[in-house]
Amino acid sequence: MRLWLIFVLLVPWVEALGADFETDVLPILRNTCFKCHGNGKAKGDMSLDPEKIRAHIGSGGPIKPGDVAGSKIIELISSETGDFMPPEGRRLDEEEIAIITEWIRQGAKLGRGTPYLRLDESKVGSGTWTNTEGKEIVADLVGVKDGK
């Protein structure tokens, strides 16, 4: 009960400031989650490394942009019993939970205001393309607009 009371009091403060992935959320993840879910480790197939976290954001992942209640990660970091994260060591405090909650509420954007959605990898085309300046670009094609 005490945890939720403090959490409820912190949320309006965090909402007013907003939450940025790189400056607010990533430091929390590094300090509390990377022992098992970062720096190349992916316990339970969950990597929170900045270059891999986007695979866990979206309708099928534990982070659902804009849907705090539907985001399993919030349930895990805020639970006091049953399944909770991290299972060992320091738990996230109320302010850290409020920051991650606000980040998800704002759309779980990963820098520069761009949300990263989970992609259907069967629809991704890898290859080399030449840009308008004649430079070759090795990239993944994630969509074509209007058949062009």
Side-chain angles (χ1 to χ4, degrees):
M1 177 70 176
R2 183 178 62 90
L3 174 69
W4 283 107
L5 178 60
I6 293 170
F7 181 73
V8 169
L9 295 174
L10 281 172
V11 169
W13 173 75
V14 173
E15 281 180 5
L17 298 176
D20 177 72
F21 178 76
E22 292 176 11
T23 59
D24 301 316
V25 176
L26 187 56
I28 296 168
L29 299 178
R30 281 192 176 126
N31 289 332
T32 58
C33 307
F34 271 34
K35 178 180 177 188
C36 299
H37 302 286
N39 299 321
K41 298 175 193 153
K43 189 171 184 179
D45 292 326
M46 176 72 159
S47 174
L48 297 174
D49 283 321
E51 65 277 3
K52 303 229 175 164
I53 193 171
R54 71 187 73 197
H56 305 293
I57 298 174
S59 62
I63 302 168
K64 297 181 192 269
D67 183 4
V68 172
S71 294
K72 180 76 173 170
I73 196 168
I74 296 299
E75 179 184 332
L76 292 170
I77 64 174
S78 60
S79 178
E80 294 184 23
T81 60
D83 291 335
F84 58 87
M85 292 290 156
E88 299 173 0
R90 183 182 79 76
R91 299 290 312 270
L92 277 72
D93 64 32
E94 293 85 4
E95 182 179 350
E96 292 168 324
I97 293 169
I99 289 168
I100 293 172
T101 299
E102 180 59 14
W103 171 68
I104 291 171
R105 190 190 68 71
Q106 291 175 326
K109 297 174 180 150
L110 296 176
R112 294 193 217 161
T114 305
Y116 289 88
L117 301 176
R118 191 171 197 172
L119 300 174
D120 178 352
E121 294 195 18
S122 67
K123 296 181 182 177
V124 174
S126 296
T128 304
W129 291 271
T130 305
N131 70 8
T132 56
E133 298 170 359
K135 295 179 183 175
E136 283 191 352
I137 300 170
V138 177
D140 293 331
L141 178 66
V142 294
V144 177
K145 185 175 180 179
D146 300 327
K148 298 178 184 175

